[in-house]
């Protein structure tokens, strides 16, 4: 123990020295104004990343050791450290390094060249305990569970913790799986699928840093509370180029959290709604009931239905998004109007044979039409420029527009722009169907190019002067004497200093290198269309549990979701061990699961807690008092607690809002009301029962559901 403590102290001393050096490099890069901005920005970015990498390692820097069969040993930890004086030999292996894999996967039957595996239990910077597995001794290769049990039995804190010290073999297989396409990870409650997916992100960022860091990673979760819960895991592993959002936040500037009723959510989530959106756009491309007058200075014109119909068909046939196709519509309309106007304005002195005069007069008329308010109003009436919010908001608040688009009346609501989570993929789709509302803003690019052209001109003058000076000089122009126009332009233009997360969340067209989708069984067909647009290379880690699906628009099988986009490019892995829910609680939850998904095997709990879940029946008017009593008791205990139940129960949250979360103690209120919602209610009760890591209680006023009959009186 003394030797190990001394070795770990030495690793921390090396960490402190490297961190001080990295911070010095960062400070120097920030102060260095003698280099081009691009070069300085790169130096700052690299140094900053190294500082962050070293800063996260204070807690649990080293958590194990591997002794090889042929001699030699390697320590395994949160980051990698190297001996600069010994050809950069590793003194601490990063847990993601290939050489560290045996720490998680070696067994007595397959020791993978390992003689002994040692696991440390640390507090702060001090080793307080270790356990050994001696693979060279018969019976000595059973993996010790001390570190794992200490982690799963520890009171829960505010957020999810990383598991680098306790990754199990089936989890490690998922984390390191070398598959370039879509990986589906399914597991019941408590199997660690979320934290495994996050560690897979950290592993990919480690092994594919150059490809991944340009575009970053998107993590999609079921609700804001879940994102807050998992938000510290990747930063604790030194990774920050990750965007966290819900499906309600996939459109920049919008954070929808309200949910539609089941019927509306099912309609909006199906691919059939695409026909509704296209029909809603077509409905706005109208024909005039009566000719629309356009009064110019020398002639009175009108846009009749036949002209508008021809222009509309040409615009539709162009294949352009609605707002871009308006240019085609306008071109046909103006052509017809000017063709009719020229002979009348020219009064016989302009002939078609005189092409120059004809086109000159057309140009005058086009200029007048462009400035004519009546003509612009006519275009806006027949082919308006539309935003996604405008089109969808007016559609959802108008019975007439819904009927014209072939949508059910159940989608009608008073406030069309009271956005729900199910509206977000529709808005995203409309961005593509409608296109931008004006010319793409390339102001910054134009300014940069103007500065570059100016700089190039300056350099040309300097080059001429330099050539004159060198005419009689035998020396040649050296590379360090050269300056590029773009470098000089950078001195005149303010650079975008936002980090990757800021840029990605503000840009709808941003594409990610990898996407993680949690609680993926809840996503609709339309949600998947949005995500596939965000990741053109189709690199996904998808985690979920089909048995926990509550959304009517959610997935009923993984193949129904993925074969449309990545046929033959997705693989499936299952997690079967429950690290969260003790056996006493899982036995109760398993009976609920059997009631609505009889073919699904519940995950096997890795431990028992010795505390049986209980149930108590109280009168309706005493439910609030029972909840208050539970909260008082839990306030005096270490750890976290939650009350799950109907909205009418003071202090209760819905089961859906606790998906992916875990608490030391859970009180489920009115399970009979939860089950009254049918299949959706059964899934929600299953979720509610499996949130607890230590203690579970149930309070009810009606009859206790049969599946919970085994609970002890509380």
């Amino acid at each position: 123990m003394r030797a190990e403590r001394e070795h770990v102290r030495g690793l921390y001393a090396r960490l402190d020295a490297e961190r001080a050096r990295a911070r010095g490099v960062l400070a120097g890069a920030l102060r260095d104004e003698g280099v081009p901005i691009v070069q300085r920005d790169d130096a700052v970015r690299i140094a900053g990343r190294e500082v962050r990498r070293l800063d996260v390692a204070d807690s649990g820097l080293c958590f194990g050791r591997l002794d090889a069969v042929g001699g030699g040993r390697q320590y395994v930890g949160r980051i990698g450290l190297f001996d600069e004086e010994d050809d950069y030999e590793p003194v601490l292996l990063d847990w993601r390094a290939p050489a560290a894999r045996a720490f998680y996967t070696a067994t007595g039957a397959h020791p993978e060249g390992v003689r002994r595996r040692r696991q440390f239990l640390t507090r702060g910077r001090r080793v307080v305990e270790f356990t050994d597995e001696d693979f060279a001794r018969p019976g000595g290769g059973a993996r010790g569970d001390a570190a794992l049990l200490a982690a799963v039995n520890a009171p829960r804190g505010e957020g999810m913790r990383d598991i680098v010290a306790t990754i199990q073999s089936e989890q490690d297989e998922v984390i390191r799986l070398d598959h370039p396409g879509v990986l589906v990870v399914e597991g019941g409650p408590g199997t660690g699928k979320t934290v495994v997916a996050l560690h897979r992100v950290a592993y990919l960022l480690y092994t594919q840093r150059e490809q991944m860091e340009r575009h970053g990673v998107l993590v999609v979760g079921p609700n804001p509370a879940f994102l807050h819960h998992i938000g510290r895991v990747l930063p604790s592993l030194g990774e920050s180029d990750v965007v966290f959002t819900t499906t309600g936040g996939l459109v920049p500037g919008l954070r929808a959290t309200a949910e539609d009723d089941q019927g509306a959510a099912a309609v909006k989530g199906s691919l059939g709604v695409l026909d509704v959106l296209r029909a809603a756009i077509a409905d706005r491309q109208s024909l005039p009931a009566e000719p629309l007058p356009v009064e110019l200075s020398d002639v009175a014109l009108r846009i009749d239905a036949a002209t508008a119909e021809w222009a509309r068909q040409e615009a539709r046939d162009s294949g352009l998004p609605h707002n871009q196709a308006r240019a085609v519509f306008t071109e046909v309309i103006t052509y017809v109007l000017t063709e009719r106007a020229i002979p009348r304005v020219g009064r016989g002195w302009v002939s078609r044979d005189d092409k120059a005069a004809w086109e000159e007069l057309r140009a005058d008329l086009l200029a007048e039409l462009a400035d004519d308010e009546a003509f612009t109003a006519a275009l806006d009436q027949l082919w308006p420029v539309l935003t996604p919010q405008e089109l969808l908001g007016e559609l959802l608040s108008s019975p007439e527009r819904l009927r014209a688009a072939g949508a059910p009346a159940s989608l009608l609501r008073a406030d069309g722009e009271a956005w729900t989570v199910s509206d977000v993929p529709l808005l995203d789709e409309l961005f593509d169907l409608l296109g931008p509302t004006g010319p793409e803003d390339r102001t910054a690019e134009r300014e940069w190019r103007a500065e570059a052209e100016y700089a190039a001109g300056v350099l040309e003058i300097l080059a001429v002067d330099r050539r004159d000076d060198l005419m009689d000089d035998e020396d040649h122009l050296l590379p360090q004497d050269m300056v590029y126009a773009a470098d000089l332009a950078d001195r005149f233009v303010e650079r975008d200093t936002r980090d990757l997360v800021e840029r990605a969340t503000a840009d709808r067209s941003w594409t990610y290198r990898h996407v993680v989708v949690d609680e993926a069984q809840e996503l609709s067909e339309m949600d998947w269309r949005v995500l596939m647009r965000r990741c053109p290379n189709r690199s996904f880690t998808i985690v979920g549990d089909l048995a926990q699906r509550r959304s009517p628009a959610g997935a009923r099988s993984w193949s129904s979701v993925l074969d449309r986009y990545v046929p033959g490019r997705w693989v499936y892995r299952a997690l079967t061990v429950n690290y969260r829910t003790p056996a006493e609680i899982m036995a109760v939850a398993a009976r609920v699961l059997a009631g609505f998904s009889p073919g699904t095997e519940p995950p096997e709990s890795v431990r028992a807690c010795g505390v049986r879940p209980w149930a108590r029946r109280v009168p309706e008017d005493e439910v609030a008092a029972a909840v208050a009593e539970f909260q008082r008791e839990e306030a005096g205990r270490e750890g976290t607690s939650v009350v799950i139940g109907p909205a009418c129960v003071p202090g209760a949250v819905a089961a859906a809002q606790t998906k992916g979360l875990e608490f030391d103690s859970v009180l489920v209120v009115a399970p009979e009301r939860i089950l009254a919602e049918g299949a959706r209610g059964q899934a929600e009760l299953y979720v509610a029962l499996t949130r607890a890591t230590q203690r579970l209680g149930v309070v009810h006023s009606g009859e206790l559901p049969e599946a919970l009959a085994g609970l002890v009186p509380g």
Side-chain angles (χ1 to χ4, degrees):
M1 177 65 79
R2 284 194 300 270
E4 296 293 23
R5 285 175 175 168
E6 186 62 29
H7 187 84
V8 171
R9 275 197 294 269
L11 292 175
Y12 272 109
R14 187 180 294 272
L15 171 69
D16 292 338
E18 289 199 17
R19 183 158 48 199
R21 183 171 62 253
R23 287 175 175 168
V25 171
L26 176 60
L30 289 169
R31 290 193 301 265
D32 191 356
E33 298 183 357
V35 298
I37 292 176
V38 176
Q39 183 177 334
R40 186 175 67 189
D41 285 353
D42 287 344
V44 169
R45 177 175 53 81
I46 294 170
R49 187 172 66 211
E50 179 66 4
V51 169
R52 290 193 299 273
R53 184 184 80 90
L54 297 169
D55 278 345
V56 302
D58 267 313
S59 177
L61 172 64
C62 176
F63 48 76
R65 190 183 96 185
L66 290 172
D67 295 352
V69 171
R73 64 182 53 162
Q74 292 179 310
Y75 286 83
V76 181
R78 185 172 295 274
I79 65 170
L81 295 175
F82 302 88
D83 187 345
E84 296 181 8
E85 297 179 359
D86 189 15
D87 293 329
Y88 281 89
E89 282 294 309
V91 296
L92 182 66
L93 285 177
D94 190 300
W95 66 274
R96 296 167 288 190
R101 182 166 194 175
F103 183 77
Y104 301 109
T105 59
T107 65
H110 302 283
E112 301 184 31
V114 176
R115 180 176 62 84
R116 177 169 55 193
R117 173 170 53 211
R118 174 167 290 176
Q119 290 181 276
F120 299 137
L121 181 61
T122 60
R123 187 173 294 117
R125 293 188 167 202
R126 189 169 186 265
V127 178
V128 296
E129 185 182 346
F130 65 77
T131 58
D132 280 349
E133 297 159 80
D134 191 344
F135 297 116
R137 180 169 54 85
R143 178 157 190 180
D145 289 330
L148 173 64
L149 291 176
V152 298
N153 282 317
R156 267 43 185 179
E158 184 176 339
M160 180 180 283
R161 296 165 293 192
D162 67 66
I163 59 169
V164 290
T166 59
I167 294 170
Q168 301 300 292
S169 181
E170 73 168 3
Q171 296 174 327
D172 185 78
E173 179 192 353
V174 171
I175 291 169
R176 298 176 193 261
L177 186 66
D178 183 17
H179 179 68
V182 175
L183 167 64
V184 175
V185 183
E186 186 162 25
T191 53
K193 53 188 178 293
T194 297
V195 74
V196 165
L198 296 175
H199 283 66
R200 176 166 169 78
V201 169
Y203 176 76
L204 293 174
L205 285 165
Y206 175 81
T207 57
Q208 303 175 25
R209 175 75 60 188
E210 199 169 314
Q211 304 98 303
M212 299 281 284
E213 69 177 1
R214 284 196 210 96
H215 292 271
V217 175
L218 175 66
V219 175
V220 181
N223 55 60
F226 173 84
L227 296 180
H228 176 73
H229 179 65
I230 69 172
R232 60 184 280 185
V233 174
L234 284 168
S236 76
L237 299 174
E239 306 299 349
S240 58
D241 291 339
V242 181
V243 173
F244 292 88
T245 188
T246 64
T247 54
L250 286 170
V251 171
L254 182 62
R255 291 292 180 271
T257 57
E259 292 192 8
D260 283 299
D261 61 49
Q262 293 194 53
V267 172
K268 293 178 181 179
S270 72
L271 293 179
V273 80
L274 292 171
D275 293 332
V276 171
L277 297 179
R278 295 186 184 106
I281 295 172
D283 183 50
R284 305 301 293 270
Q285 300 164 352
S286 60
L287 303 177
E290 298 292 337
L292 301 176
V294 179
E295 300 283 345
L296 300 183
S297 57
D298 295 324
V299 64
L301 302 171
R302 64 180 193 169
I303 305 173
D304 55 44
T307 300
E309 186 172 14
W310 178 28
R312 183 174 70 174
Q313 194 59 50
E314 291 290 329
R316 289 176 175 176
D317 290 346
S318 71
L320 294 170
H322 169 84
N323 291 330
Q324 275 81 11
R326 174 175 160 128
V328 178
F329 180 84
T330 303
E331 183 180 3
V332 174
I333 294 288
T334 55
Y335 173 79
V336 173
L337 293 183
T338 55
E339 282 292 299
R340 291 174 180 171
I342 290 172
R344 294 161 59 186
V345 174
R347 296 184 178 87
W349 58 266
V350 175
S351 168
R352 285 187 180 276
D353 295 334
D354 189 349
K355 293 183 180 180
W358 190 277
E359 293 304 323
E360 183 179 352
L361 188 50
R362 187 196 301 279
D364 292 340
L365 289 168
L366 289 175
E368 191 172 356
L369 283 171
D371 293 333
D372 187 79
E373 294 182 0
F375 179 65
T376 301
L379 292 178
D380 291 340
Q381 176 183 332
L382 301 176
W383 197 286
V385 173
L386 298 168
T387 67
Q389 293 87 343
E390 179 184 6
L391 178 78
L392 188 59
E394 292 180 3
L395 172 68
L396 297 176
S397 60
S398 168
E400 296 77 19
R401 293 201 184 280
L402 283 172
R403 189 163 48 250
S410 60
L411 297 187
L412 182 68
R413 65 188 183 212
D415 183 357
E417 296 194 7
W419 305 121
T420 66
V421 173
S422 302
D423 291 328
V424 173
L426 276 60
L427 290 168
D428 193 73
E429 191 76 36
L430 286 170
F431 274 102
D432 284 347
L433 293 175
L434 294 175
T437 56
E440 292 184 5
D441 185 10
R442 300 188 180 275
T443 304
E445 181 181 346
R446 285 196 299 270
E447 290 178 353
W448 187 90
R449 289 188 182 280
E451 295 290 359
E453 290 172 4
Y454 164 76
V458 172
L459 290 173
E460 178 61 26
I461 295 172
L462 293 175
V464 171
D465 293 342
R466 180 64 169 159
R467 282 198 301 272
D468 291 343
D469 293 339
L470 295 175
M471 286 295 291
D472 299 323
D473 195 335
E474 294 181 358
D475 295 335
H476 297 289
L477 192 64
L478 299 176
Q480 58 263 36
D481 295 322
M482 299 180 66
V483 181
Y484 292 100
D487 294 330
L488 188 56
D490 278 332
R491 301 177 187 177
F492 298 93
V493 180
E494 183 177 351
R495 295 176 59 79
D496 187 349
T497 58
R498 296 175 300 170
D499 62 22
L500 182 143
V501 172
E502 292 173 314
R503 287 182 285 124
T505 53
D507 183 359
R508 180 192 166 267
S509 63
W510 188 277
T511 58
Y512 296 89
R513 182 72 183 187
H514 190 76
V515 175
V516 174
V517 187
D518 208 320
E519 299 294 344
Q521 74 278 353
E522 306 295 348
L523 270 62
S524 70
E525 293 175 321
M526 289 298 294
D527 289 326
W528 285 110
R529 280 180 65 87
V530 179
L531 294 178
M532 292 298 168
R533 279 194 287 267
R534 298 295 190 273
C535 190
N537 67 321
R538 304 292 195 262
S539 178
F540 284 76
T541 299
I542 295 170
V543 295
D545 180 9
L546 293 176
Q548 295 187 56
R549 180 182 64 84
R550 58 180 290 275
S551 170
R556 285 168 170 77
S557 71
W558 300 119
S559 60
S560 66
V561 170
L562 298 173
D563 286 348
R564 181 187 307 275
Y565 301 105
V566 285
R569 281 194 58 215
W570 65 278
V571 297
Y572 176 90
R573 295 292 184 272
L575 297 177
T576 60
V577 180
N578 189 332
Y579 301 99
R580 175 206 301 147
T581 317
E584 297 89 341
I585 296 175
M586 198 62 218
V588 177
R591 289 195 291 272
V592 175
L593 176 65
F596 70 95
S597 185
T600 302
E601 282 292 322
E604 181 180 357
S605 295
V606 76
R607 66 189 173 99
C609 66
V611 179
R612 293 186 64 184
W614 55 267
R616 182 189 309 158
R617 186 170 187 174
V618 300
E620 185 76 30
D621 58 357
E622 294 182 16
V623 169
V627 170
E629 180 185 352
F630 168 82
Q631 292 171 330
R632 282 194 303 272
E633 291 177 354
E634 291 302 322
R637 290 177 168 145
E638 187 179 6
T640 60
S641 64
V642 69
V643 178
I644 302 175
C648 60
V649 177
V653 300
Q657 297 304 309
T658 65
K659 298 197 79 168
L661 308 183
E662 57 185 19
F663 306 87
D664 292 274
S665 188
V666 172
L667 180 67
V668 178
V669 181
E672 67 277 16
R673 292 190 188 178
I674 298 174
L675 285 178
E677 295 190 38
R680 175 177 177 175
Q682 291 175 309
E684 292 210 345
L685 181 58
Y686 181 59
V687 170
L689 295 173
T690 54
R691 299 306 96 193
T693 66
Q694 303 291 345
R695 300 174 296 280
L696 171 67
V698 174
V699 168
H700 59 106
S701 298
E703 290 293 327
L704 187 67
E706 184 179 348
L708 304 182
L711 296 175
V712 300

